[in-house]
Amino acid sequence: MRLDRFLYHHSPHGRRDIRPLLAAGRVRVDGEVEKNSQHEIGDFTQVELDGVLLRSDTPVYLMLNKPAGYLSATTDSQHPTVMELIDERQTLHIAGRLDRASTGLLILTNDGKWSRRLTEPPQQKGEGVPKVYLVATADPITADTHAHFARGIYFAYEDLTTRPAGLEVLAPRQAKLTIYEGRYHQIKRMFHAVGNRVTALHRVSTGDIHLDPGLEPGQYRDLTAAEVSSIVPAHEIGPPPRRAS
Ligand code: URA
């Protein structure tokens, strides 16, 4: 298999990201930096991306109850990373990051094709995988927040409008929020756009994968076969929820 194809299948990156990754020297083949996308990968070739070994014969799928204070990253010189909590860390990547202060469901795998279903924004009609969060805010959640989120919030930096999100207010400063994509700091930016501020964020589910209440912060377990197969390709998911009129 060619190196670019191998990277596509064994990392969470999309096709367009592969060449820049190679050009930046982030990929090593059998210990040497390799920039040639056509390089042939054999059965026993070792491929590393950012120092993480990608090849693995058996797929691994884990859920971690992420504690606050841990970065969703492989290594960091300043802060502890979630990988430090995991034994099989050499081969895993994170399918949908959480900010350092955020807590809850974090999914890790070595199956790039599967994790792309969770993280790739839906291309056209597909709704995307719903991610449900418990959110605490600094100020009371105003009555119009629901309509703003249902309409979508414009992010100027990316020049896009977020997909309609579902908001259920649980208490004046507490809500359950369902989003269908995972933009950078998405929820913080959504609340900021309506003049509020997120003070705590906890992910409870991604699709039909729910954070196991038996996991203490920092603990993890394998996903069940049913949890793994519950995540289907985006084109098999129905149309997006209707916008509020
Ligand atoms: N949105 C955020 O702002 N932070 C997270 O950790 C997850 C979603």
Side-chain angles (χ1 to χ4, degrees):
M1 185 189 286
R2 277 167 35 163
L3 179 55
D4 53 359
R5 209 170 137 71
F6 177 90
L7 289 167
Y8 179 70
H9 285 292
H10 293 80
S11 81
H13 298 284
R15 284 188 206 285
R16 267 175 290 172
D17 301 328
I18 304 291
R19 274 179 190 272
L21 286 180
L22 288 165
R26 292 169 61 186
V27 178
R28 284 177 180 266
V29 174
D30 288 335
E32 302 290 330
V33 171
E34 180 57 72
K35 297 188 175 182
N36 176 8
S37 60
Q38 317 274 314
H39 188 100
E40 275 300 315
I41 300 301
D43 284 349
F44 301 102
T45 311
Q46 290 212 331
V47 181
E48 287 165 72
L49 172 60
D50 295 334
V52 178
L53 190 63
L54 294 182
R55 188 156 199 92
S56 171
D57 291 332
T58 33
V60 176
Y61 309 91
L62 302 177
M63 75 159 73
L64 166 74
N65 185 356
K66 179 191 173 297
Y70 282 75
L71 274 185
S72 294
T74 319
T75 53
D76 190 79
S77 54
Q78 278 190 310
H79 302 290
T81 72
V82 292
M83 288 300 176
E84 292 167 30
L85 301 166
I86 308 282
D87 295 333
E88 303 94 329
R89 60 183 154 225
Q90 316 84 298
T91 59
L92 299 182
H93 59 263
I94 297 159
R97 291 162 195 272
L98 285 172
D99 293 338
R100 184 157 64 95
S102 302
T103 57
L105 178 66
L106 195 73
I107 295 174
L108 300 105
T109 181
N110 56 3
D111 183 343
K113 203 168 166 191
W114 183 84
S115 64
R116 255 192 306 276
R117 296 177 191 174
L118 291 176
T119 54
E120 259 187 1
Q123 295 302 306
Q124 291 150 11
K125 285 197 294 203
E127 168 182 305
V129 176
K131 288 122 190 150
V132 180
Y133 293 82
L134 293 176
V135 189
T137 58
D139 297 314
I141 298 165
T142 53
D144 59 354
T145 304
H146 183 275
H148 280 297
F149 286 4
R151 230 179 279 130
I153 301 287
Y154 179 66
F155 285 173
Y157 183 74
E158 297 95 331
D159 187 23
L160 59 83
T161 300
T162 56
R163 298 211 149 216
L167 182 75
E168 187 188 335
V169 178
L170 305 172
R173 292 178 173 80
Q174 233 184 24
K176 191 195 243 191
L177 181 69
T178 305
I179 59 173
Y180 295 85
E181 65 227 305
R183 307 283 172 196
Y184 180 66
H185 292 328
Q186 177 161 342
I187 296 174
K188 288 182 185 153
R189 292 162 76 197
M190 286 170 70
F191 276 94
H192 180 76
V194 295
N196 208 333
R197 183 168 61 81
V198 170
T199 55
L201 196 51
H202 180 78
R203 184 156 61 203
V204 290
S205 65
T206 295
D208 284 335
I209 304 176
H210 295 261
L211 180 64
D212 189 327
L215 291 177
E216 296 293 330
Q219 290 186 330
Y220 64 95
R221 69 154 168 82
D222 287 300
L223 294 187
T224 64
E227 285 168 335
V228 173
S229 57
S230 71
I231 302 298
V232 295
H235 63 267
E236 289 177 19
I237 304 174
R242 273 210 288 208
R243 286 166 188 268
S245 51

